[in-house]
Amino acid sequence: MTERLDRARLLAGHQGIDALLVTPGADLRYLTGYAAKPLERLTCLVVTQLGSHLVVPGLERAAAEAAGVSMPIVTWSETDDPYALVAELLGSPDVVAVDDQMWASRVFALQEALPESGFVLGGELVSALRTVKEPAEVDALREAGAAIDRVHSRMGEWLRPGRTEREVGADIARAIVEEGHEQVDFVIVGSGPNGASPHHEVPDRVIGAGEPVVVDIGGTTAAGYCSDSTRNYVAGGEPDPGYIAMLAVLQRAQQVQREYARPGVTAESVDAVGRQVIADAGYGHLFIHRTGHGIGQETHEEPYIVEGNTLELEPGMAFSIEPGIYVEGQWGARIEDIVVCTEDGIEVLNDTSRDLVRL
């Protein structure tokens, strides 16, 4: 963690930032190893060119120490003003960067405590560190990918006609924990027309025989890293030939994207090569979202694989490749793998079948 803080401090200096303030969330865990709960009492990492401190409520000190926080921990009691304490640690900085997910109430309180300072967003600063994964982080993502693959490989235990999406989703959620995750982040089970909603919930719709089903699932492991994988299933019959033809196009598009992605190409170009395959087959207007998102200690983080993102891929960047086609009122399909950019291509972290899985 010390090296990460040193890099953050160096980047801040280059950007003319005098202080970086980070409250509970993925950025705090990345920089300190402490997965603090986002409660009403202020917990705040204070990073300046002179050093770092972690400000915590007195009753949270033991938790911070148990997490292995190595920097000085500064505590405050119930009758103290924690924002005045942060201001005292900072002195009179000209420019203060705050994490992008800091609560507005905290930003306003800090501005009141530091009336002479200018405030900017610090998310890009930390994102520049988090976007390129360290080898240990890639190992953690491999473990998460293998864990979610084990859940997909068990789908035949639960997904069958006559059961509701909610029932299947509950079984999947239990398996996500059983197979190596500390928490369930999301479960999407979209059967028939519900598959046309990319972020569908799990209602009491009964799954019909021969209906295609989109299953998109993910969780977070004890190491703090996320999984995310989508596959397509059918049980009890054969789907409509129109769906089969659509899925074949989607498979080609995702394969083209996997084969194309490598260091030096832009994030938007990975999106473009798959989108072109789908458009050429007449489904372009039905691919309604970006190709992918970065992943690490959050399911969605930089880099985003989307038109307009000219960022060049680098070894260590981890992201999803997940094109989809959605026909409202009929069905949908999405194929999603997590990949990590290597020196000459990508490593794919999910290896379950990308074909339609017949149960």
Side-chain angles (χ1 to χ4, degrees):
M1 300 303 169
T2 300
E3 182 182 348
R4 292 177 181 176
L5 286 167
D6 288 342
R7 290 163 56 205
R9 191 175 292 112
L10 182 63
L11 275 178
H14 287 164
Q15 296 179 20
I17 294 170
D18 300 306
L20 171 66
L21 303 179
V22 181
T23 49
D27 285 349
L28 182 69
R29 183 169 187 171
Y30 178 82
L31 291 170
T32 68
Y34 180 33
K37 296 179 180 178
L39 302 174
E40 73 279 5
R41 296 181 178 91
L42 179 69
T43 292
C44 185
L45 170 64
V46 179
V47 181
T48 71
Q49 295 302 316
L50 298 178
S52 303
H53 296 80
L54 184 65
V55 174
V56 301
L59 74 168
E60 301 290 344
R61 183 185 188 100
E65 291 176 339
V69 173
S70 57
M71 70 192 69
I73 298 175
V74 181
T75 61
W76 59 276
S77 68
E78 297 283 29
T79 57
D80 292 333
D81 180 351
Y83 300 98
L85 177 57
V86 171
E88 183 180 340
L89 290 170
L90 291 179
S92 302
D94 290 328
V95 180
V96 176
V98 299
D99 72 87
D100 285 7
Q101 297 181 23
M102 184 180 289
W103 296 353
S105 59
R106 289 179 173 160
V107 176
F108 288 140
L110 288 164
Q111 287 177 325
E112 184 176 351
L114 295 160
E116 303 301 320
S117 301
F119 281 72
V120 298
L121 289 173
E124 288 188 7
L125 189 157
V126 183
S127 178
L129 306 178
R130 289 176 53 191
T131 298
V132 177
K133 269 55 182 180
E134 301 163 4
E137 293 183 281
V138 175
D139 287 342
L141 286 169
R142 286 193 190 102
E143 292 177 5
I148 210 66
D149 279 358
R150 291 193 293 270
V151 180
H152 272 296
S153 69
R154 295 176 57 188
M155 203 58 58
E157 297 177 28
W158 320 297
L159 203 164
R160 54 184 177 271
R163 301 198 76 203
T164 67
E165 294 175 357
R166 190 182 306 278
E167 290 169 338
V168 174
D171 289 336
I172 292 172
R174 283 189 288 271
I176 288 174
V177 175
E178 291 170 359
E179 295 297 344
H181 297 82
E182 188 173 66
Q183 70 181 39
V184 179
D185 291 336
F186 57 90
V187 174
I188 296 172
V189 179
S191 62
N194 287 347
S197 174
H199 284 174
H200 176 65
E201 298 293 336
V202 283
D204 290 320
R205 184 184 189 277
V206 176
I207 298 169
E211 286 188 330
V213 183
V214 181
V215 177
D216 184 351
I217 52 179
T220 302
T221 66
Y225 286 80
C226 301
S227 65
D228 187 2
S229 180
T230 309
R231 293 296 187 258
N232 301 279
Y233 299 89
V234 65
E238 276 297 303
D240 188 284
Y243 170 84
I244 297 296
M246 181 192 77
L247 183 63
V249 172
L250 186 64
Q251 288 177 293
R252 289 199 301 273
Q254 208 251 7
Q255 180 179 353
V256 165
Q257 289 174 315
R258 284 187 283 111
E259 292 174 348
Y260 173 82
R262 61 189 184 277
V265 305
T266 61
E268 69 173 359
S269 68
V270 177
D271 178 271
V273 295
R275 195 170 297 275
Q276 190 63 55
V277 172
I278 293 171
D280 288 346
Y283 299 103
H285 62 295
L286 302 176
F287 181 8
I288 58 177
H289 55 71
R290 65 194 175 208
T291 284
H293 53 82
I295 192 168
Q297 292 198 7
E298 293 178 292
T299 308
H300 287 194
E301 58 185 53
E302 294 285 353
Y304 293 100
I305 311 303
V306 63
E307 182 180 358
N309 187 359
T310 59
L311 177 72
E312 291 188 0
L313 300 183
E314 299 177 31
M317 289 183 174
F319 52 92
S320 68
I321 295 180
E322 50 176 309
I325 303 174
Y326 309 94
V327 183
E328 187 173 354
Q330 296 186 57
W331 50 64
R334 183 167 60 258
I335 302 170
E336 177 182 17
D337 292 308
I338 300 303
V339 306
V340 178
C341 201
T342 64
E343 294 296 332
D344 56 3
I346 59 169
E347 176 185 353
V348 182
L349 303 189
N350 300 107
D351 62 7
T352 57
S353 175
R354 297 174 190 87
D355 296 332
L356 178 64
V357 179
R358 293 169 168 83
L359 303 173

PDB file of all heavy atoms in Angstrom, residues 10-38:
ATOM      1  N   LEU A  10       2.909  11.290  -6.043  1.00  0.00           N
ATOM      2  CA  LEU A  10       3.681  11.757  -7.194  1.00  0.00           C
ATOM      3  C   LEU A  10       2.753  12.307  -8.279  1.00  0.00           C
ATOM      4  O   LEU A  10       3.003  13.393  -8.837  1.00  0.00           O
ATOM      5  CB  LEU A  10       4.522  10.610  -7.751  1.00  0.00           C
ATOM      6  CG  LEU A  10       5.439  10.930  -8.942  1.00  0.00           C
ATOM      7  CD1 LEU A  10       6.497  11.953  -8.534  1.00  0.00           C
ATOM      8  CD2 LEU A  10       6.101   9.652  -9.461  1.00  0.00           C
ATOM      9  N   LEU A  11       1.679  11.569  -8.568  1.00  0.00           N
ATOM     10  CA  LEU A  11       0.730  12.033  -9.574  1.00  0.00           C
ATOM     11  C   LEU A  11       0.061  13.338  -9.147  1.00  0.00           C
ATOM     12  O   LEU A  11      -0.138  14.241  -9.968  1.00  0.00           O
ATOM     13  CB  LEU A  11      -0.342  10.967  -9.816  1.00  0.00           C
ATOM     14  CG  LEU A  11      -0.020   9.853 -10.820  1.00  0.00           C
ATOM     15  CD1 LEU A  11      -1.170   8.864 -10.891  1.00  0.00           C
ATOM     16  CD2 LEU A  11       0.249  10.435 -12.204  1.00  0.00           C
ATOM     17  N   ALA A  12      -0.267  13.429  -7.869  1.00  0.00           N
ATOM     18  CA  ALA A  12      -0.896  14.655  -7.370  1.00  0.00           C
ATOM     19  C   ALA A  12       0.025  15.847  -7.574  1.00  0.00           C
ATOM     20  O   ALA A  12      -0.409  16.920  -8.012  1.00  0.00           O
ATOM     21  CB  ALA A  12      -1.257  14.497  -5.897  1.00  0.00           C
ATOM     22  N   GLY A  13       1.293  15.666  -7.273  1.00  0.00           N
ATOM     23  CA  GLY A  13       2.252  16.743  -7.461  1.00  0.00           C
ATOM     24  C   GLY A  13       2.341  17.181  -8.902  1.00  0.00           C
ATOM     25  O   GLY A  13       2.389  18.383  -9.203  1.00  0.00           O
ATOM     26  N   HIS A  14       2.344  16.211  -9.821  1.00  0.00           N
ATOM     27  CA  HIS A  14       2.421  16.535 -11.243  1.00  0.00           C
ATOM     28  C   HIS A  14       1.189  17.297 -11.716  1.00  0.00           C
ATOM     29  O   HIS A  14       1.254  18.088 -12.669  1.00  0.00           O
ATOM     30  CB  HIS A  14       2.572  15.254 -12.065  1.00  0.00           C
ATOM     31  CG  HIS A  14       3.935  14.629 -11.946  1.00  0.00           C
ATOM     32  ND1 HIS A  14       4.191  13.332 -12.318  1.00  0.00           N
ATOM     33  CD2 HIS A  14       5.111  15.131 -11.481  1.00  0.00           C
ATOM     34  CE1 HIS A  14       5.471  13.058 -12.096  1.00  0.00           C
ATOM     35  NE2 HIS A  14       6.044  14.134 -11.594  1.00  0.00           N
ATOM     36  N   GLN A  15       0.049  17.057 -11.060  1.00  0.00           N
ATOM     37  CA  GLN A  15      -1.200  17.703 -11.461  1.00  0.00           C
ATOM     38  C   GLN A  15      -1.488  18.977 -10.669  1.00  0.00           C
ATOM     39  O   GLN A  15      -2.550  19.573 -10.824  1.00  0.00           O
ATOM     40  CB  GLN A  15      -2.359  16.715 -11.296  1.00  0.00           C
ATOM     41  CG  GLN A  15      -2.255  15.500 -12.217  1.00  0.00           C
ATOM     42  CD  GLN A  15      -3.396  14.509 -12.019  1.00  0.00           C
ATOM     43  OE1 GLN A  15      -4.450  14.843 -11.486  1.00  0.00           O
ATOM     44  NE2 GLN A  15      -3.186  13.274 -12.446  1.00  0.00           N
ATOM     45  N   GLY A  16      -0.536  19.401  -9.845  1.00  0.00           N
ATOM     46  CA  GLY A  16      -0.722  20.618  -9.077  1.00  0.00           C
ATOM     47  C   GLY A  16      -1.717  20.490  -7.938  1.00  0.00           C
ATOM     48  O   GLY A  16      -2.307  21.476  -7.498  1.00  0.00           O
ATOM     49  N   ILE A  17      -1.887  19.260  -7.443  1.00  0.00           N
ATOM     50  CA  ILE A  17      -2.812  18.995  -6.340  1.00  0.00           C
ATOM     51  C   ILE A  17      -2.019  18.929  -5.040  1.00  0.00           C
ATOM     52  O   ILE A  17      -1.045  18.167  -4.929  1.00  0.00           O
ATOM     53  CB  ILE A  17      -3.577  17.677  -6.577  1.00  0.00           C
ATOM     54  CG1 ILE A  17      -4.500  17.829  -7.792  1.00  0.00           C
ATOM     55  CG2 ILE A  17      -4.376  17.269  -5.346  1.00  0.00           C
ATOM     56  CD1 ILE A  17      -5.129  16.533  -8.259  1.00  0.00           C
ATOM     57  N   ASP A  18      -2.432  19.718  -4.061  1.00  0.00           N
ATOM     58  CA  ASP A  18      -1.714  19.770  -2.782  1.00  0.00           C
ATOM     59  C   ASP A  18      -2.149  18.680  -1.814  1.00  0.00           C
ATOM     60  O   ASP A  18      -1.363  18.247  -0.960  1.00  0.00           O
ATOM     61  CB  ASP A  18      -1.928  21.131  -2.122  1.00  0.00           C
ATOM     62  CG  ASP A  18      -1.423  22.272  -2.992  1.00  0.00           C
ATOM     63  OD1 ASP A  18      -0.252  22.237  -3.389  1.00  0.00           O
ATOM     64  OD2 ASP A  18      -2.231  23.187  -3.297  1.00  0.00           O
ATOM     65  N   ALA A  19      -3.405  18.262  -1.910  1.00  0.00           N
ATOM     66  CA  ALA A  19      -3.918  17.260  -0.985  1.00  0.00           C
ATOM     67  C   ALA A  19      -4.979  16.413  -1.679  1.00  0.00           C
ATOM     68  O   ALA A  19      -5.759  16.907  -2.499  1.00  0.00           O
ATOM     69  CB  ALA A  19      -4.510  17.924   0.253  1.00  0.00           C
ATOM     70  N   LEU A  20      -5.003  15.129  -1.340  1.00  0.00           N
ATOM     71  CA  LEU A  20      -6.004  14.199  -1.835  1.00  0.00           C
ATOM     72  C   LEU A  20      -6.770  13.650  -0.641  1.00  0.00           C
ATOM     73  O   LEU A  20      -6.160  13.148   0.314  1.00  0.00           O
ATOM     74  CB  LEU A  20      -5.341  13.052  -2.610  1.00  0.00           C
ATOM     75  CG  LEU A  20      -6.234  11.875  -3.015  1.00  0.00           C
ATOM     76  CD1 LEU A  20      -7.283  12.325  -4.033  1.00  0.00           C
ATOM     77  CD2 LEU A  20      -5.395  10.725  -3.577  1.00  0.00           C
ATOM     78  N   LEU A  21      -8.109  13.745  -0.686  1.00  0.00           N
ATOM     79  CA  LEU A  21      -8.959  13.252   0.392  1.00  0.00           C
ATOM     80  C   LEU A  21      -9.844  12.134  -0.150  1.00  0.00           C
ATOM     81  O   LEU A  21     -10.525  12.309  -1.164  1.00  0.00           O
ATOM     82  CB  LEU A  21      -9.830  14.378   0.954  1.00  0.00           C
ATOM     83  CG  LEU A  21      -9.088  15.618   1.472  1.00  0.00           C
ATOM     84  CD1 LEU A  21     -10.080  16.651   1.983  1.00  0.00           C
ATOM     85  CD2 LEU A  21      -8.083  15.239   2.557  1.00  0.00           C
ATOM     86  N   VAL A  22      -9.818  10.986   0.544  1.00  0.00           N
ATOM     87  CA  VAL A  22     -10.538   9.809   0.061  1.00  0.00           C
ATOM     88  C   VAL A  22     -11.364   9.229   1.206  1.00  0.00           C
ATOM     89  O   VAL A  22     -10.826   8.909   2.270  1.00  0.00           O
ATOM     90  CB  VAL A  22      -9.563   8.738  -0.475  1.00  0.00           C
ATOM     91  CG1 VAL A  22     -10.337   7.527  -0.997  1.00  0.00           C
ATOM     92  CG2 VAL A  22      -8.671   9.318  -1.565  1.00  0.00           C
ATOM     93  N   THR A  23     -12.660   9.082   0.975  1.00  0.00           N
ATOM     94  CA  THR A  23     -13.570   8.517   1.965  1.00  0.00           C
ATOM     95  C   THR A  23     -13.907   7.073   1.593  1.00  0.00           C
ATOM     96  O   THR A  23     -13.470   6.580   0.546  1.00  0.00           O
ATOM     97  CB  THR A  23     -14.832   9.391   2.062  1.00  0.00           C
ATOM     98  OG1 THR A  23     -15.333   9.649   0.742  1.00  0.00           O
ATOM     99  CG2 THR A  23     -14.522  10.721   2.739  1.00  0.00           C
ATOM    100  N   PRO A  24     -14.666   6.339   2.426  1.00  0.00           N
ATOM    101  CA  PRO A  24     -14.890   4.909   2.177  1.00  0.00           C
ATOM    102  C   PRO A  24     -15.402   4.584   0.783  1.00  0.00           C
ATOM    103  O   PRO A  24     -16.272   5.258   0.226  1.00  0.00           O
ATOM    104  CB  PRO A  24     -15.913   4.547   3.257  1.00  0.00           C
ATOM    105  CG  PRO A  24     -15.545   5.426   4.401  1.00  0.00           C
ATOM    106  CD  PRO A  24     -15.192   6.738   3.747  1.00  0.00           C
ATOM    107  N   GLY A  25     -14.842   3.540   0.221  1.00  0.00           N
ATOM    108  CA  GLY A  25     -15.153   3.096  -1.128  1.00  0.00           C
ATOM    109  C   GLY A  25     -13.963   2.338  -1.688  1.00  0.00           C
ATOM    110  O   GLY A  25     -12.979   2.063  -0.981  1.00  0.00           O
ATOM    111  N   ALA A  26     -14.039   2.006  -2.952  1.00  0.00           N
ATOM    112  CA  ALA A  26     -12.981   1.212  -3.573  1.00  0.00           C
ATOM    113  C   ALA A  26     -11.637   1.938  -3.586  1.00  0.00           C
ATOM    114  O   ALA A  26     -10.580   1.312  -3.437  1.00  0.00           O
ATOM    115  CB  ALA A  26     -13.381   0.833  -4.993  1.00  0.00           C
ATOM    116  N   ASP A  27     -11.648   3.263  -3.761  1.00  0.00           N
ATOM    117  CA  ASP A  27     -10.383   4.005  -3.774  1.00  0.00           C
ATOM    118  C   ASP A  27      -9.678   3.909  -2.426  1.00  0.00           C
ATOM    119  O   ASP A  27      -8.454   3.746  -2.359  1.00  0.00           O
ATOM    120  CB  ASP A  27     -10.621   5.481  -4.116  1.00  0.00           C
ATOM    121  CG  ASP A  27     -10.924   5.710  -5.590  1.00  0.00           C
ATOM    122  OD1 ASP A  27     -10.752   4.773  -6.389  1.00  0.00           O
ATOM    123  OD2 ASP A  27     -11.341   6.833  -5.931  1.00  0.00           O
ATOM    124  N   LEU A  28     -10.443   4.004  -1.343  1.00  0.00           N
ATOM    125  CA  LEU A  28      -9.842   3.906  -0.010  1.00  0.00           C
ATOM    126  C   LEU A  28      -9.263   2.521   0.216  1.00  0.00           C
ATOM    127  O   LEU A  28      -8.142   2.377   0.728  1.00  0.00           O
ATOM    128  CB  LEU A  28     -10.885   4.227   1.065  1.00  0.00           C
ATOM    129  CG  LEU A  28     -10.352   4.207   2.500  1.00  0.00           C
ATOM    130  CD1 LEU A  28      -9.395   5.373   2.736  1.00  0.00           C
ATOM    131  CD2 LEU A  28     -11.494   4.258   3.514  1.00  0.00           C
ATOM    132  N   ARG A  29     -10.008   1.500  -0.163  1.00  0.00           N
ATOM    133  CA  ARG A  29      -9.495   0.136   0.016  1.00  0.00           C
ATOM    134  C   ARG A  29      -8.241  -0.077  -0.827  1.00  0.00           C
ATOM    135  O   ARG A  29      -7.286  -0.715  -0.382  1.00  0.00           O
ATOM    136  CB  ARG A  29     -10.570  -0.883  -0.360  1.00  0.00           C
ATOM    137  CG  ARG A  29     -10.134  -2.325  -0.126  1.00  0.00           C
ATOM    138  CD  ARG A  29     -11.276  -3.315  -0.250  1.00  0.00           C
ATOM    139  NE  ARG A  29     -10.854  -4.650   0.152  1.00  0.00           N
ATOM    140  CZ  ARG A  29     -11.673  -5.679   0.301  1.00  0.00           C
ATOM    141  NH1 ARG A  29     -12.984  -5.521   0.093  1.00  0.00           N
ATOM    142  NH2 ARG A  29     -11.219  -6.860   0.655  1.00  0.00           N
ATOM    143  N   TYR A  30      -8.234   0.454  -2.041  1.00  0.00           N
ATOM    144  CA  TYR A  30      -7.070   0.286  -2.913  1.00  0.00           C
ATOM    145  C   TYR A  30      -5.830   0.931  -2.308  1.00  0.00           C
ATOM    146  O   TYR A  30      -4.735   0.365  -2.359  1.00  0.00           O
ATOM    147  CB  TYR A  30      -7.365   0.902  -4.282  1.00  0.00           C
ATOM    148  CG  TYR A  30      -6.202   0.831  -5.251  1.00  0.00           C
ATOM    149  CD1 TYR A  30      -5.952  -0.328  -5.973  1.00  0.00           C
ATOM    150  CD2 TYR A  30      -5.344   1.924  -5.430  1.00  0.00           C
ATOM    151  CE1 TYR A  30      -4.881  -0.405  -6.855  1.00  0.00           C
ATOM    152  CE2 TYR A  30      -4.281   1.858  -6.311  1.00  0.00           C
ATOM    153  CZ  TYR A  30      -4.048   0.694  -7.018  1.00  0.00           C
ATOM    154  OH  TYR A  30      -2.982   0.625  -7.873  1.00  0.00           O
ATOM    155  N   LEU A  31      -5.976   2.104  -1.722  1.00  0.00           N
ATOM    156  CA  LEU A  31      -4.824   2.859  -1.223  1.00  0.00           C
ATOM    157  C   LEU A  31      -4.397   2.465   0.181  1.00  0.00           C
ATOM    158  O   LEU A  31      -3.245   2.708   0.564  1.00  0.00           O
ATOM    159  CB  LEU A  31      -5.145   4.360  -1.252  1.00  0.00           C
ATOM    160  CG  LEU A  31      -5.272   4.989  -2.643  1.00  0.00           C
ATOM    161  CD1 LEU A  31      -5.820   6.400  -2.545  1.00  0.00           C
ATOM    162  CD2 LEU A  31      -3.929   4.982  -3.369  1.00  0.00           C
ATOM    163  N   THR A  32      -5.310   1.866   0.963  1.00  0.00           N
ATOM    164  CA  THR A  32      -4.984   1.561   2.363  1.00  0.00           C
ATOM    165  C   THR A  32      -5.166   0.103   2.755  1.00  0.00           C
ATOM    166  O   THR A  32      -4.650  -0.331   3.777  1.00  0.00           O
ATOM    167  CB  THR A  32      -5.851   2.402   3.318  1.00  0.00           C
ATOM    168  OG1 THR A  32      -7.217   1.969   3.226  1.00  0.00           O
ATOM    169  CG2 THR A  32      -5.757   3.888   2.991  1.00  0.00           C
ATOM    170  N   GLY A  33      -5.946  -0.646   1.980  1.00  0.00           N
ATOM    171  CA  GLY A  33      -6.295  -2.003   2.361  1.00  0.00           C
ATOM    172  C   GLY A  33      -7.467  -2.075   3.315  1.00  0.00           C
ATOM    173  O   GLY A  33      -7.868  -3.165   3.734  1.00  0.00           O
ATOM    174  N   TYR A  34      -8.044  -0.928   3.659  1.00  0.00           N
ATOM    175  CA  TYR A  34      -9.122  -0.853   4.645  1.00  0.00           C
ATOM    176  C   TYR A  34     -10.466  -0.688   3.943  1.00  0.00           C
ATOM    177  O   TYR A  34     -10.702   0.336   3.301  1.00  0.00           O
ATOM    178  CB  TYR A  34      -8.861   0.320   5.597  1.00  0.00           C
ATOM    179  CG  TYR A  34      -9.891   0.532   6.679  1.00  0.00           C
ATOM    180  CD1 TYR A  34     -10.594  -0.512   7.264  1.00  0.00           C
ATOM    181  CD2 TYR A  34     -10.145   1.833   7.143  1.00  0.00           C
ATOM    182  CE1 TYR A  34     -11.527  -0.289   8.260  1.00  0.00           C
ATOM    183  CE2 TYR A  34     -11.074   2.067   8.154  1.00  0.00           C
ATOM    184  CZ  TYR A  34     -11.762   0.995   8.702  1.00  0.00           C
ATOM    185  OH  TYR A  34     -12.687   1.220   9.699  1.00  0.00           O
ATOM    186  N   ALA A  35     -11.325  -1.690   4.075  1.00  0.00           N
ATOM    187  CA  ALA A  35     -12.656  -1.639   3.473  1.00  0.00           C
ATOM    188  C   ALA A  35     -13.623  -1.030   4.484  1.00  0.00           C
ATOM    189  O   ALA A  35     -14.502  -1.695   5.029  1.00  0.00           O
ATOM    190  CB  ALA A  35     -13.119  -3.025   3.053  1.00  0.00           C
ATOM    191  N   ALA A  36     -13.468   0.253   4.730  1.00  0.00           N
ATOM    192  CA  ALA A  36     -14.283   0.942   5.730  1.00  0.00           C
ATOM    193  C   ALA A  36     -15.735   1.015   5.280  1.00  0.00           C
ATOM    194  O   ALA A  36     -16.033   1.157   4.096  1.00  0.00           O
ATOM    195  CB  ALA A  36     -13.745   2.354   5.959  1.00  0.00           C
ATOM    196  N   LYS A  37     -16.641   0.936   6.234  1.00  0.00           N
ATOM    197  CA  LYS A  37     -18.057   1.058   5.929  1.00  0.00           C
ATOM    198  C   LYS A  37     -18.410   2.534   5.728  1.00  0.00           C
ATOM    199  O   LYS A  37     -17.962   3.390   6.485  1.00  0.00           O
ATOM    200  CB  LYS A  37     -18.898   0.472   7.061  1.00  0.00           C
ATOM    201  CG  LYS A  37     -18.697  -1.032   7.256  1.00  0.00           C
ATOM    202  CD  LYS A  37     -19.532  -1.557   8.413  1.00  0.00           C
ATOM    203  CE  LYS A  37     -19.324  -3.051   8.606  1.00  0.00           C
ATOM    204  NZ  LYS A  37     -20.104  -3.574   9.756  1.00  0.00           N
ATOM    205  N   PRO A  38     -19.239   2.836   4.735  1.00  0.00           N
ATOM    206  CA  PRO A  38     -19.642   4.231   4.498  1.00  0.00           C
ATOM    207  C   PRO A  38     -20.753   4.653   5.466  1.00  0.00           C
ATOM    208  O   PRO A  38     -21.935   4.617   5.135  1.00  0.00           O
ATOM    209  CB  PRO A  38     -20.130   4.210   3.051  1.00  0.00           C
ATOM    210  CG  PRO A  38     -20.626   2.811   2.860  1.00  0.00           C
ATOM    211  CD  PRO A  38     -19.756   1.917   3.704  1.00  0.00           C
TER     212      PRO A  38
END
